[in-house]
Amino acid sequence: DLIGRVQIPVKELMATPNKMFDRADKLVGFEDATSMSGTLHWSIGYFDKVPLNRKLERPLDNPPPPKKSAASMEMLPGDKAPNPAAKDGPPPPADVKRTPPDTKYPSGILSVIVHQINNLERQNLKGASGKDREGQVGQDTDEPSEQGSNLPSGYCEILINDDLVYKTRVKQYTSMPFFEAGTEVFIRDWQQTVVRVVVRDSRLREKDPILGIVDLPLAEILTESSEVSGLFSLQEGVGFGRANISVLFKAVDAQLPPNMLGWDTGTVEILKPIEVSIDSEYQSTLALSKQSLVATTTDSTEKIGNP
């Protein structure tokens, strides 16, 4: 049921960029004239994208030829006469392929696109010919085939800091699925962000197995540029193949406080043995050998059995 809504034109926020505003807005219904009970107290702001830092730009591998010196400035047939009235324009922006993100601006918009997966196949220990399969998980198959019962119906899940943000469509029975799909999402700190692309095989009446995972820590892959495109081998799964993935980060002028730069999802790890003591009055009625421990978080429950 609709309790109420608040509507603000973005143009108002753009008039004063890079600043948060505390607001108290009355709730309205489907139409602005419809009054609803309640007031929303919130903060909102518009933040500009930050241009790339030219000081961080790497030099070209093959630089253009140098400009002519004064001795070689004489006109040759076919040369255009210089225009004294023409003025030099602003310098071109830094090349995203040669400029890494600036550590002064950790927050921004992250774009992740899965283009395709080459030679996607489920693991088959005997192989198509009955012989033992050579190679390890993550390597390509020699000759991908679109025939046979081992063709997967693959799809991809994009997780950012262990939170699922996007899932592609299923590509039925193919070893060369083309997706050309992805998403853009705001991230708080690119130096602490980990992107995982999980490739699964769609199954009927059973859980979808993981064919492979591609781990992309942004602090490791964005050391020389703000955009990375390449082939990444599938690991940690029951399949083979290489995924063609593109990652692009665009910083925004938002300086978040340190307590807002972390992850929303954490991992609980029990490092030492758990000791349990029982009062003497219950020792005769309670048998520890038949008991088990249960660890519970807000997202999952894990049963810890006796060794």
Side-chain angles (χ1 to χ4, degrees):
D1 296 334
L2 177 67
I3 299 178
R5 66 183 178 89
V6 171
Q7 181 174 330
I8 297 178
V10 179
K11 190 174 181 179
E12 287 186 15
L13 304 176
M14 295 176 64
T16 310
N18 306 325
K19 184 179 179 180
M20 294 292 293
F21 294 94
D22 297 330
R23 297 178 59 100
D25 296 298
K26 294 286 294 182
L27 298 181
V28 297
F30 288 104
E31 298 179 1
D32 294 341
T34 305
S35 177
M36 305 287 285
S37 61
T39 303
L40 177 66
H41 298 267
W42 61 318
S43 300
I44 188 172
Y46 173 83
F47 294 86
D48 292 327
K49 288 191 298 182
V50 178
L52 295 174
N53 189 350
R54 294 190 63 89
K55 296 180 180 180
L56 301 177
E57 187 176 15
R58 294 182 295 107
L60 287 170
D61 296 333
N62 297 316
K67 296 182 178 180
K68 292 183 178 181
S69 60
S72 59
M73 290 295 289
E74 63 179 285
M75 295 289 293
L76 297 176
D79 289 349
K80 293 184 178 180
N83 184 6
K87 296 182 179 180
D88 295 334
D95 188 357
V96 69
K97 292 286 188 179
R98 297 185 289 116
T99 309
D102 195 341
T103 56
K104 296 180 181 179
Y105 302 98
S107 304
I109 305 299
L110 179 68
S111 171
V112 182
I113 299 177
V114 181
H115 301 285
Q116 68 187 72
I117 301 179
N118 297 335
N119 304 336
L120 182 63
E121 184 180 347
R122 290 197 297 262
Q123 187 174 2
N124 182 7
L125 297 179
K126 292 185 178 180
S129 61
K131 299 180 180 180
D132 292 339
R133 180 185 176 90
E134 297 180 356
Q136 299 178 352
V137 175
Q139 295 180 346
D140 287 342
T141 53
D142 294 333
E143 296 180 358
S145 175
E146 292 299 321
Q147 298 179 355
S149 59
N150 203 37
L151 291 176
S153 297
Y155 67 92
C156 298
E157 295 175 339
I158 299 178
L159 292 87
I160 295 181
N161 292 348
D162 290 342
D163 290 331
L164 178 64
V165 298
Y166 188 78
K167 184 167 68 173
T168 68
R169 295 183 178 182
V170 178
K171 302 299 180 178
Q172 297 284 349
Y173 307 116
T174 176
S175 64
M176 300 285 289
F178 285 81
F179 297 102
E180 291 298 338
T183 184
E184 287 188 343
V185 63
F186 176 80
I187 60 174
R188 302 170 183 176
D189 188 354
W190 66 270
Q191 299 175 90
Q192 300 182 19
T193 299
V194 177
V195 179
R196 288 188 177 93
V197 179
V198 181
V199 183
R200 292 183 179 268
D201 185 13
S202 179
R203 302 283 185 89
L204 295 175
R205 296 182 294 276
E206 60 179 304
K207 292 185 178 180
D208 298 342
I210 295 178
L211 297 177
I213 301 174
V214 177
D215 281 334
L216 301 172
L218 297 188
E220 297 180 8
I221 67 173
L222 298 182
T223 57
E224 297 184 351
S225 65
S226 297
E227 181 180 15
V228 174
S229 298
L231 293 173
F232 301 91
S233 298
L234 302 183
Q235 306 286 344
E236 307 291 339
V238 296
F240 308 86
R242 303 185 72 185
N244 187 3
I245 302 173
S246 295
V247 176
L248 171 63
F249 176 74
K250 297 172 287 186
V252 298
D253 192 9
Q255 300 294 332
L256 299 179
N259 62 334
M260 295 184 63
L261 296 178
W263 290 28
D264 288 331
T265 303
T267 301
V268 177
E269 185 176 1
I270 300 176
L271 301 177
K272 296 182 179 180
I274 300 176
E275 298 181 359
V276 179
S277 60
I278 303 176
D279 294 339
S280 57
E281 58 180 315
Y282 298 107
Q283 289 182 356
S284 59
T285 58
L286 185 61
L288 285 180
S289 59
K290 298 181 181 180
Q291 305 299 322
S292 61
L293 296 176
V294 177
T296 303
T297 65
T298 55
D299 293 328
S300 62
T301 299
E302 188 73 20
K303 187 175 181 181
I304 306 174
N306 286 321

